[in-house]
Amino acid sequence: QVQLAESGGGSVQTGGSLRLSCTASRYPVSVYCMAWFRHAPRKEREGVAAIDRWGSATLVDTVKGRFTISKDNVKNTLYLEMNSLKPEDTAMYYCAGEFRSLCYGFTQTDYDHWGQGTQVTVSS
C-alpha cells in the first residue's frame, strides 16, 4: 500500500529554518501532484504548498518568499524548505498526494494519501 513518511520537524526559534522531507513508498512523486498541509492548534488544517508532476509550485501567501516546495524524483521524496520561521508557523505538517498530475488547489478530499505528520514548533 501507499505510504508517505514525513521527517525533519523540530523546535526552532523565530527566524530559524527547517527542512521537511516526505518519503513515498509505492507512489511515484514524479507522476502526481503532491502537497504540504499544516494543522495548528485551534485552527483548521490548511494547505501550504503544492507541486505538480512537472515541478510547478504553488504556495499560499502566508509562506511565499519563506517556504520552498521541491521534490527529488530519484529519491522519491518531497521536501519543504522553511526559512524565516514565525511562531504562527507552529503546526503539525503533513504531506499528501493525489492521483492527478496537475494540482488544483488544496481541497483536502482531493488528496488520497496522507502521512502521519511531523511537528514544527517555532518559539519567540
Side-chain angles (χ1 to χ4, degrees):
Q1 72 216 39
V2 173
Q3 288 188 322
L4 302 177
E6 302 95 337
S7 60
S11 297
V12 297
Q13 292 190 324
T14 297
S17 299
L18 285 172
R19 187 195 197 198
L20 306 184
S21 300
C22 171
T23 301
S25 300
R26 299 183 180 88
Y27 181 87
V29 303
S30 61
V31 176
Y32 302 115
C33 167
M34 295 194 74
W36 287 97
F37 289 77
R38 65 185 179 186
H39 193 183
R42 298 176 297 280
K43 291 186 178 180
E44 298 285 327
R45 187 163 61 180
E46 63 175 355
V48 174
I51 188 167
D52 69 16
R53 173 176 182 166
W54 296 276
S56 180
T58 301
L59 294 96
V60 296
D61 288 344
T62 51
V63 306
K64 278 181 181 176
R66 301 188 298 121
F67 290 12
T68 302
I69 186 171
S70 63
K71 58 182 179 174
D72 185 323
N73 293 337
V74 174
K75 294 182 178 179
N76 211 36
T77 300
L78 177 73
Y79 300 101
L80 185 68
E81 185 79 36
M82 305 186 296
N83 298 311
S84 302
L85 282 162
K86 305 175 182 179
E88 50 264 44
D89 295 318
T90 294
M92 184 72 79
Y93 283 72
Y94 300 89
C95 66
E98 63 155 290
F99 282 112
R100 295 178 292 185
S101 295
L102 286 172
C103 296
Y104 294 91
F106 298 106
T107 301
Q108 296 182 40
T109 51
D110 287 343
Y111 292 85
D112 304 281
H113 302 289
W114 294 80
Q116 294 299 307
T118 185
Q119 178 67 37
V120 171
T121 302
V122 185
S123 58
S124 56

